[in-house]
Amino acid sequence: MKLIYIYDAICGWCYGFTPVIQQLQTQSGTELEFEILSGGMMLSANRRPASAMYTYIQDAHKRVETTTGITFGTAFLDEYLQTDDIMDSEKPAVALTVFKQYQPEQAINFAHDMQLALNYYGKSLNDDTTYTALLEKYHIPAAEFLKKMQEDENKYATQQEFSVVQQWGITGFPAVILDNGEQLYLIARGFTPLERMLETIKEIKGKA
């Protein structure tokens, strides 16, 4: 049985929800296989300069913090959101595609590292040095990793990932799908507490 976590690196609610998925992965052990897909929330016409999102996020981040318990950093709220850095989902999505070629079992943790880099430390996910720093603890050679991010096949694989998510009808993030080998079940749409997901997974297992 496989759990598919659909997230976007730029998505604030995903930032608050990834720790729940990390808990679930830890608790599940070998019972569940985990996969993470990038949804592509901010691409092409949907991309925005950080400064254009300032007013919205200054209000919205409070709801995310209250609901999820996550913390947004002052470096993000007071500094990054004053810049014209483009909030673009593509590059962190390609980074995740490449990372999964090295350590797929750590992909959800790496995704959260990218989220922390942006939402807590105010780092740009367009900047290669952001990834160089994140890769250190995984002992992945940064120059090789960044070169792979430029390769057409990895960019294409990322676009295919976006397409799969669209074909499933997932337009909001985060979302979680459970695949029991016969059917796909949407078990979370938006932030969902761990206990509720565990109950849903138990019910689906009971049907098998």
Side-chain angles (χ1 to χ4, degrees):
M1 196 171 280
K2 180 163 71 173
L3 183 140
I4 304 165
Y5 173 38
I6 302 162
Y7 101 122
D8 190 273
I10 308 295
C11 161
W13 281 104
C14 298
Y15 171 52
F17 187 53
T18 302
V20 177
I21 299 296
Q22 289 174 306
Q23 280 182 274
L24 183 57
Q25 187 173 28
T26 301
Q27 284 189 23
S28 298
T30 57
E31 284 184 29
L32 277 177
E33 179 187 348
F34 281 76
E35 182 178 3
I36 180 169
L37 300 180
S38 300
M41 183 178 77
M42 298 185 79
L43 299 171
S44 57
N46 288 330
R47 296 180 305 164
R48 296 284 184 278
S51 57
M53 301 297 291
Y54 176 83
T55 302
Y56 170 75
I57 292 175
Q58 287 297 328
D59 178 54
H61 89 273
K62 297 171 188 172
R63 294 194 299 276
V64 177
E65 287 185 335
T66 301
T67 303
T68 70
I70 204 80
T71 300
F72 288 81
T74 54
F76 171 70
L77 295 170
D78 298 336
E79 297 171 28
Y80 176 79
L81 290 177
Q82 301 283 1
T83 73
D84 288 328
D85 188 60
I86 302 297
M87 300 187 81
D88 184 346
S89 298
E90 185 174 13
K91 190 163 184 172
V94 174
L96 187 61
T97 295
V98 173
F99 186 91
K100 287 188 282 191
Q101 297 168 17
Y102 288 92
Q103 297 177 26
E105 73 286 352
Q106 292 288 341
I108 291 169
N109 293 330
F110 179 69
H112 193 52
D113 290 343
M114 289 192 287
Q115 292 173 317
L116 281 165
L118 174 64
N119 294 290
Y120 192 82
Y121 296 105
K123 304 295 184 184
S124 169
L125 295 180
N126 296 314
D127 191 337
D128 285 350
T129 61
T130 299
Y131 300 99
T132 300
L134 296 181
L135 292 169
E136 285 182 13
K137 73 176 183 183
Y138 298 101
H139 307 291
I140 293 173
E144 179 183 277
F145 187 97
L146 292 171
K147 185 180 177 184
K148 284 179 178 288
M149 284 180 64
Q150 294 299 322
E151 292 174 0
D152 288 342
E153 64 189 76
N154 290 318
K155 292 180 180 180
Y156 177 76
T158 303
Q159 292 296 330
Q160 290 299 103
E161 202 163 284
F162 297 153
S163 296
V164 168
V165 172
Q166 285 182 340
Q167 286 165 16
W168 283 339
I170 305 293
T171 55
F173 312 104
V176 179
I177 287 174
L178 191 68
D179 180 356
N180 72 349
E182 297 177 358
Q183 192 172 338
L184 299 179
Y185 297 86
L186 182 63
I187 66 168
R189 180 184 287 162
F191 180 83
T192 305
L194 177 62
E195 296 73 21
R196 193 186 307 166
M197 278 197 294
L198 286 169
E199 287 173 13
T200 305
I201 292 167
K202 188 177 177 181
E203 286 174 15
I204 294 168
K205 280 183 175 179
K207 293 177 184 177

